[in-house]
Amino acid sequence: QVNISGILEKTLYNYQQYYEDFPVLERSIKPDVFLIASASLMEIMANNLVANAVVHNIPGGYIKIYLEEDRLYIENSGKAIQGKPESLFERFNKGDDASKTTGLGLALVKQIAQLYRINLRYQYENGVHRITASFR
């Protein structure tokens, strides 16, 4: 059993320490949400989701993270992606051609989600990106 709440809190803390211009953060993380999974893979998943929200944000932007018993929502302000939204989780695909990322972060998230039967969904509306991971 892996404490997803603890992993998310640790991930957010680390990223806030690393980025001086970390976006405004709003969070509601239910304590002690557990999943049966590899702690290392859940850390990779959390790191990639948070990194994605930070790197693909806009100046003066924000991130909202909500963890409930059965799902995780990560929202961030940002420009619209180029291309089809469903391709964001494919290897080497980047939402912005100018991005300096490898395009592997969300592909890893997708593989981990498939392994643990976590349903992923991406939405973009009115300048807001939202990834939902449903656990049950």
Side-chain angles (χ1 to χ4, degrees), residues 12 22-29 49-50 53 57 61-67 72-77 128-131:
L12 289 170
F22 193 88
V24 173
L25 177 64
E26 178 182 317
R27 68 175 165 219
S28 175
I29 297 175
L49 288 170
V50 171
N57 217 306
Y62 68 89
I63 296 173
K64 293 181 181 179
I65 297 181
Y66 303 102
L67 176 65
L72 167 68
Y73 304 97
I74 297 185
E75 293 183 359
N76 65 279
S77 52
V128 178
H129 299 273
R130 181 183 218 185
I131 294 179

Side-chain angles (χ1 to χ4, degrees), residues 71-135:
R71 67 183 48 114
L72 167 68
Y73 304 97
I74 297 185
E75 293 183 359
N76 65 279
S77 52
K79 297 177 185 175
I81 63 166
Q82 298 170 353
K84 298 177 183 176
E86 58 273 11
S87 66
L88 268 184
F89 292 98
E90 301 304 321
R91 289 183 304 152
F92 308 116
N93 190 318
K94 303 186 272 186
D96 177 2
D97 290 337
S99 173
K100 294 180 178 151
T101 65
T102 62
L104 290 174
L106 291 181
L108 284 170
V109 168
K110 178 183 174 184
Q111 291 299 310
I112 294 167
Q114 286 176 339
L115 179 63
Y116 295 110
R117 294 190 176 115
I118 297 171
N119 184 35
L120 290 176
R121 193 170 101 196
Y122 168 80
Q123 297 169 280
Y124 179 80
E125 187 175 337
N126 299 325
V128 178
H129 299 273
R130 181 183 218 185
I131 294 179
T132 305
S134 301
F135 308 132

